[in-house]
Amino acid sequence: MHMHKYEKIWLFFGIGSLFLFLTIVGVSAFAQGNQPPSCLTTIDPEKVDQTPPFNKPGLVKTGDNEYQLNIVASAFAYTPNQIEIPKGAKVTINVTTKDVIHGFEMVGTNVNMMVEPGYVNSFTKTFNETGEFTILCNEYCGTGHHLMTAKVKVVDKQ
Amino acid sequence: MPQLTDKKTKVKTEEHSSLKGTLASVFLLGFFLIFTWVGVYFLFLDRL
Amino acid sequence: MNETMKVDRRDAKLAMAHIYVAFIALALGGLAGLLQVLVRSGKFTLPANINYYTILTTHGVLLGLVLTTFFIIGFQFAAVSRTAGTLSDKARTTGWLGFWVMTIGTALTAFYILIGEASVLYTFYAPLQAHPGFYIGLTLVVVGSWLSGFAMFAHYAKWKKANPGKTSPLLTFMSVVNMILWLVCSLGVAATVLIQLLPWSLGFVERINILVSRTLFWYFGHPLVYFWLLPAYMIWYVVIPKIIGGKIFSDSLARLSFILFLIFSIPVGFHHQLVEPGIDPAWKYLQVVLTFMVVIPSLMTAFSMFATFEMYGRSKGAAGLFGWLRKLPWGDARFFAPFVGMLFFIPAGAGGLINASHQLNQVVHNTIWVTGHFHLTLATTVVLTFFGAAYWLIPHLTGRVMTKTMNRLAIVQTVVWAVGMLFMSGSMHFAGLLGAPRRSAFSTYGNSPQALEWIPYQIAQAIGGTILFIGIILVLIIVTNLAFFAPKGETEFPVGEVAETAERTPLVFENWKLWIGITVALILIAYTIPFIDMIQNAPPGSKGYKLW
């Protein structure tokens, strides 16, 4: 099919840029491990309170400077909702829900995941600076959706 | 349907020069796409 | 060639019926939108215990589903009647049947939303459970649209039979592509509603598989946006060249871009599910790559549009790199409104690339950035193009003419819309990057300092939203005038001719077996394995919840 020379130039440049973007996110995801949260673990949503680690939600030390933060979402709260993390900790956040779909967003960070009944979702982040972060539900879950929140404080190690 | 088959060769040379504004426009558009994408990509890296 | 210059009166009635419903939806949905931005500014609360999320559901369903689907089907009936000849009685009757099924479905859905039995939002994610009437209403809307689609297919087939070996009229071809796209993608939403949601809400089954239902929804949900966009592209490719007095840059490239949309717009739903559990990230990435492929026809469209404008300007003696811009008919609302729509598609496209970029989605997912994004794509690009089309389509169908005053008002309307959207969508984008969530009523999240930063943006949203509501009032005045009060006369349905330098269109574009085959193959490649995974590794299902 006939195509104008300039259009060929434009499509070469445009499609080239698309592949450049894809390469950047692809290398970052598959070579450097920056995949979006995609945990494949399942759980019985009606037995969350009896299933470890969600039977004892909260921050657990798992290694030298490594932690697990297990959080249960339900309409319209997170358990726990006041969390302290020592500065420099590498934290794997595991979240699940007891009822409907919720969101889990730590404002101002890349921690942003869907929490769906029957699944655990997970994301690992290292907290290098002290400060306060708001966690909020960013997926509609009912009348109290906009009141569903929690707080994280990153503090200097005692 | 008008017959268009043999009119193709007619304006080859002036055609290229006459679409230079189009070329410039799409490239401006392309640079804008790259600029915004890279901007948010750096925001992502900053928040890693 | 049985092309008619004028849409037959009986076909015009069918098209107008759709357009009336579309603009009634715009009025009601727009009012809901105004209430939302006011609430979200933190300065107002809804009276009489009205639930914010009921209003939000109304807004999404009326504008995302009703306004769009009705306008598109009305426009396409007019377009096929204009370019492929008057509809047969059978096709027209099917069209009317489709119209009534959709309208009854809309009324039913709206009823259950307004009595507060279906505040589940336009995305209606289970396990939030609406009244069965909500799902039945939505099913009727989709089934009605299929009937109209079949009527258009039959009309196209009749034209092909009468004109063997000839290339079909461009607008008819494009309408057929859009209805095939719609049919293939709405099978997903029909499946989740009929197999999962409806039996579950009626109590026939107790539990529902959440991830399967979401995946079926998004299999539909992304091509849906192309179903909105393609009619705007029809107007850009075919109508705008005629309005400015120029020619279609290339018939073949226009068809090629529509075929690319058909192929690539469906196997991409995972880019709405990038941050969710239960889907392997490699499959997500595959669909990210496919999503980027669907950008290509838009890159082609951008070139074609600029080229159409430049060729016309130069034929009028324009010089310099951008001199042709000055030759365009800026005072003609039929051109100006869609043109502003095109301009807004540039930041809209940029945002779309970011949303779909795999892990970059974590920055913006479910923040109000996304709301800002589709208020550029749908609520500006598509809607301004539809408004621009209404300015000739309605008087053409009703046998009237647009007065100079109305044209001026339409120019003002376009400017009002652009300014309002700049404020509203602009601040949504910035607030989103700062983390403000979408689909949420006003909240300071316990006076969190981070949430307090968003308030100035939310006030700007309210200002923009209020300006947009003025825009809605203006367009309703214009549309009412054109439908009932404008002076009687003849208005042209502009259909462009192909540039002389363009080559003849090859017939391969109408090899439907080939294109539908490729479409189905890509869908199977993108979805089969992850879908089997979802079912094989499914957790226990969910009971329904009514949390509003």
Side-chain angles (χ1 to χ4, degrees):
Chain A
M1 198 188 313
H2 167 70
M3 202 178 260
H4 193 283
K5 189 177 145 208
Y6 286 172
E7 181 157 11
K8 284 183 189 152
I9 296 174
W10 159 239
L11 286 181
F12 182 78
F13 171 80
I15 297 171
S17 308
L18 294 181
F19 277 99
L20 182 69
F21 294 159
L22 285 172
T23 310
I24 293 172
V25 296
V27 169
S28 164
F30 293 93
Q32 300 171 335
N34 294 322
Q35 292 281 16
S38 309
C39 183
L40 300 174
T41 312
T42 57
I43 187 171
D44 185 338
E46 282 161 30
K47 298 199 176 96
V48 168
D49 288 337
Q50 295 97 56
T51 313
F54 299 102
N55 54 349
K56 285 180 196 151
L59 193 70
V60 191
K61 192 162 182 168
T62 51
D64 192 27
N65 220 20
E66 286 191 13
Y67 294 82
Q68 262 191 11
L69 175 57
N70 303 306
I71 293 184
V72 176
S74 61
F76 303 102
Y78 296 103
T79 317
N81 64 8
Q82 303 289 330
I83 301 144
E84 257 190 30
I85 295 176
K87 184 182 153 184
K90 187 181 176 192
V91 183
T92 299
I93 304 166
N94 301 311
V95 202
T96 192
T97 165
K98 297 204 292 196
D99 42 48
V100 294
I101 296 174
H102 296 284
F104 186 91
E105 175 189 332
M106 197 179 281
V107 175
T109 72
N110 291 332
V111 183
N112 189 346
M113 40 187 163
M114 297 294 295
V115 189
E116 295 173 18
Y119 293 90
V120 177
N121 211 351
S122 179
F123 195 75
T124 303
K125 177 178 171 61
T126 306
F127 292 86
N128 285 322
E129 265 156 56
T130 55
E132 232 182 74
F133 293 104
T134 305
I135 291 172
L136 58 83
C137 179
N138 64 9
E139 183 58 85
Y140 172 63
C141 56
T143 310
H145 162 56
H146 53 286
L147 304 173
M148 188 166 163
T149 180
K151 223 171 223 75
V152 170
K153 268 188 195 158
V154 183
V155 293
D156 275 317
K157 272 178 257 185
Q158 287 86 16
Chain B
M1 243 334 117
Q3 294 300 315
L4 308 165
T5 24
D6 24 350
K7 291 194 175 165
K8 220 168 85 183
T9 43
K10 206 177 70 183
V11 269
K12 259 286 143 71
T13 39
E14 66 177 73
E15 198 187 59
H16 285 172
S17 56
S18 74
L19 285 184
K20 57 181 193 282
T22 300
L23 188 68
S25 307
V26 287
F27 267 83
L28 285 175
L29 187 163
F31 291 137
F32 178 78
L33 295 183
I34 293 174
F35 177 77
T36 45
W37 193 89
V38 169
V40 176
Y41 185 68
F42 275 102
L43 191 60
F44 172 80
L45 291 183
D46 186 52
R47 289 175 175 184
L48 266 185
Chain C
M1 192 108 222
N2 50 359
E3 184 172 325
T4 47
M5 291 310 285
K6 211 171 155 20
V7 174
D8 183 89
R9 261 194 60 243
R10 294 161 297 172
D11 296 347
K13 264 192 179 159
L14 174 62
M16 276 310 292
H18 286 89
I19 292 171
Y20 290 136
V21 177
F23 280 97
I24 292 168
L26 175 69
L28 299 174
L31 182 64
L34 176 68
L35 295 176
Q36 282 160 241
V37 288
L38 292 179
V39 168
R40 188 106 194 217
S41 74
K43 307 284 177 209
F44 297 87
T45 45
L46 290 170
N49 279 329
I50 300 173
N51 184 336
Y52 176 83
Y53 300 103
T54 304
I55 301 291
L56 181 54
T57 308
T58 312
H59 180 75
V61 170
L62 282 183
L63 298 186
L65 218 52
V66 179
L67 163 70
T68 50
T69 308
F70 276 83
F71 189 89
I72 289 165
I73 290 179
F75 165 71
Q76 290 186 354
F77 268 128
V80 298
S81 171
R82 162 75 169 82
T83 57
T86 304
L87 296 177
S88 69
D89 288 343
K90 218 168 152 187
R92 193 180 309 110
T93 311
T94 314
W96 275 113
L97 189 65
F99 170 78
W100 283 113
V101 172
M102 288 210 311
T103 306
I104 292 167
T106 300
L108 199 64
T109 304
F111 173 75
Y112 283 105
I113 294 171
L114 291 175
I115 63 165
E117 286 294 323
S119 299
V120 290
L121 304 197
Y122 143 77
T123 40
F124 52 86
Y125 298 140
L128 288 174
Q129 192 182 54
H131 190 284
F134 172 82
Y135 302 114
I136 293 170
L138 285 179
T139 307
L140 291 178
V141 173
V142 171
V143 169
S145 72
W146 288 351
L147 291 173
S148 297
F150 293 140
M152 291 177 207
F153 296 152
H155 191 57
Y156 167 80
K158 193 180 129 210
W159 189 95
K160 286 302 275 186
K161 220 171 169 184
N163 300 269
K166 282 193 184 167
T167 314
S168 59
L170 188 51
L171 269 183
T172 299
F173 170 85
M174 290 169 152
S175 301
V176 168
V177 171
N178 202 30
M179 291 320 281
I180 295 175
L181 170 72
W182 174 247
L183 199 76
V184 176
C185 81
S186 53
L187 286 174
V189 74
T192 184
V193 170
L194 293 178
I195 300 170
Q196 295 190 287
L197 295 164
L198 195 54
W200 170 72
S201 71
L202 287 167
F204 298 157
V205 292
E206 196 189 8
R207 290 166 191 277
I208 187 168
N209 184 323
I210 302 301
L211 192 56
V212 165
S213 141
R214 284 174 62 79
T215 302
L216 287 171
F217 182 87
W218 285 116
Y219 163 90
F220 154 81
H222 199 74
L224 171 67
V225 311
Y226 290 103
F227 173 70
W228 301 334
L229 185 65
L230 290 191
Y233 275 27
M234 291 180 205
I235 292 158
W236 296 2
Y237 270 114
V238 185
V239 175
I240 294 291
K242 178 78 176 177
I243 288 175
I244 65 171
K247 294 278 166 68
I248 297 172
F249 176 62
S250 162
D251 179 279
S252 313
L253 290 173
R255 287 180 205 248
L256 175 63
S257 80
F258 268 62
I259 291 294
L260 290 175
F261 274 119
L262 173 64
I263 293 172
F264 287 116
S265 66
I266 304 170
V268 299
F270 279 176
H271 79 240
H272 288 257
Q273 299 178 278
L274 285 172
V275 301
E276 66 188 75
I279 305 170
D280 189 277
W283 288 107
K284 291 180 180 174
Y285 186 73
L286 174 74
Q287 295 209 5
V288 167
V289 174
L290 291 169
T291 308
F292 272 56
M293 296 305 107
V294 80
V295 179
I296 296 170
S298 283
L299 298 179
M300 293 169 55
T301 305
F303 190 92
S304 287
M305 289 307 114
F306 284 122
T308 301
F309 298 150
E310 182 167 13
M311 273 163 51
Y312 168 73
R314 294 206 183 277
S315 76
K316 295 284 163 204
L321 196 54
F322 293 113
W324 43 277
L325 276 172
R326 253 180 265 134
K327 302 284 178 188
L328 297 173
W330 298 108
D332 185 341
R334 300 173 307 162
F335 163 76
F336 185 62
F339 182 86
V340 173
M342 291 178 197
L343 281 187
F344 273 84
F345 204 52
I346 297 170
L353 281 173
I354 291 162
N355 299 341
S357 291
H358 207 51
Q359 68 274 41
L360 240 62
N361 186 253
Q362 288 163 228
V363 179
V364 294
H365 179 77
N366 271 352
T367 68
I368 202 159
W369 158 288
V370 180
T371 316
H373 166 70
F374 64 74
H375 278 83
L376 292 181
T377 53
L378 173 60
T380 311
T381 302
V382 171
V383 158
L384 275 183
T385 303
F386 288 178
F387 290 171
Y391 301 150
W392 51 261
L393 183 61
I394 296 176
H396 177 88
L397 297 175
T398 55
R400 296 175 188 273
V401 285
M402 193 179 197
T403 59
K404 279 214 170 87
T405 318
M406 279 300 136
N407 182 63
R408 259 200 304 273
L409 192 60
I411 299 272
V412 172
Q413 197 282 337
T414 307
V415 174
V416 166
W417 200 270
V419 171
M421 199 53 85
L422 225 47
F423 271 97
M424 191 177 87
S425 175
S427 46
M428 282 174 166
H429 276 89
F430 285 109
L433 289 178
L434 295 175
R438 70 188 283 199
R439 302 175 179 138
S440 299
F442 179 76
S443 173
T444 60
Y445 297 95
N447 283 326
S448 135
Q450 287 179 311
L452 294 176
E453 277 178 32
W454 308 328
I455 291 179
Y457 294 100
Q458 289 165 352
I459 289 172
Q461 280 166 36
I463 295 169
T466 310
I467 298 172
L468 283 165
F469 188 70
I470 296 170
I472 289 179
I473 295 173
L474 292 180
V475 79
L476 289 173
I477 293 173
I478 300 167
V479 163
T480 312
N481 176 276
L482 292 175
F484 304 108
F485 304 106
K488 296 269 180 192
E490 292 275 307
T491 295
E492 180 198 13
F493 184 136
V495 175
E497 285 160 27
V498 177
E500 284 170 4
T501 48
E503 62 163 351
R504 194 192 180 129
T505 306
L507 275 169
V508 63
F509 291 124
E510 295 183 70
N511 188 342
W512 299 110
K513 276 187 198 134
L514 174 68
W515 304 124
I516 296 174
I518 296 176
T519 306
V520 173
L522 278 177
I523 293 169
L524 291 177
I525 290 169
Y527 272 112
T528 311
I529 295 177
F531 203 73
I532 291 174
D533 269 355
M534 274 173 216
I535 292 172
Q536 280 185 339
N537 301 317
S542 285
K543 291 179 183 168
Y545 291 86
K546 185 173 181 282
L547 296 175
W548 66 88

